[in-house]
Amino acid sequence: MTTDVKTRATRRTSWLREHSELGVGVMLLALGVLVLTDALTMDVDIAQRGPVGPKTVPVVVGVALLLVAALLTVDVLRGGRGEAEGGEDIDLTEPSDWRTVLLLAGVFLGNAVLIGPLGFPISGALLFWGSAYALGSRQVDRDPLIAAGLSLLTYVVFNNLLGVPLPGGPLMGAL
């Protein structure tokens, strides 16, 4: 009797290992449901500027996540398997680069703290510049200019064109 139970448990474990990509499908499904739920329950001003409002992109992303989750699940159940990491430029024997991870985490946390008092244009520029630095760029004459331009462009597109208000901070009157 115990041998039969062990055999079933071994088969179940083997099946789960062979279909481990189903976990990614479940994660994508949960993320899609979360994004759609948040998007559809978002409180939006009725007088938006056009047909594309703040709900549009999250709804599209949520539907795309659900579609990819369904397609991945069907593929895995039909016997599809992901390819093993080939990684031309990845050495899997090297340890993780925790310095970069911690620098990026600090930059994102700093942005979350500074976006309120400084506004998006300044905190966004610091985010872009800090991210470039954390990822290895050392062009101190070019990176701050690109970060400032990217931040201002992002602010103008979201705030003025899409109607998604971002905090302007001290630059609110100037922009």
Side-chain angles (χ1 to χ4, degrees), residues 11-74:
R11 274 193 225 139
R12 189 176 314 134
T13 303
S14 176
W15 189 88
L16 287 174
R17 282 192 182 144
E18 290 173 9
H19 297 88
S20 61
E21 290 95 345
L22 289 176
V24 176
V26 169
M27 182 192 70
L28 291 173
L29 175 72
L31 190 58
V33 168
L34 176 68
V35 169
L36 274 177
T37 302
D38 280 352
L40 296 175
T41 59
M42 185 185 301
D43 188 26
V44 178
D45 186 14
I46 299 271
Q48 62 184 9
R49 297 181 188 178
V52 177
K55 286 186 176 185
T56 305
V57 172
V59 167
V60 169
V61 168
V63 169
L65 284 167
L66 294 178
L67 180 65
V68 169
L71 291 173
L72 177 64
T73 301
V74 168

Side-chain angles (χ1 to χ4, degrees), residues 85-158:
E85 176 65 47
E88 297 171 13
D89 60 345
I90 299 172
D91 185 3
L92 297 176
T93 61
E94 287 292 317
S96 298
D97 184 8
W98 288 107
R99 179 183 179 274
T100 302
V101 172
L102 292 174
L103 279 173
L104 283 172
V107 166
F108 282 107
L109 182 61
N111 183 57
V113 169
L114 295 175
I115 196 168
L118 296 181
F120 183 82
I122 295 172
S123 72
L126 293 172
L127 169 72
F128 295 138
W129 187 15
S131 297
Y133 180 83
L135 294 172
S137 179
R138 299 296 184 262
Q139 302 291 325
V140 293
D141 56 337
R142 183 186 67 185
D143 289 347
L145 296 174
I146 293 173
L150 194 58
S151 180
L152 285 173
L153 178 68
T154 303
Y155 178 80
V156 168
V157 166
F158 275 86

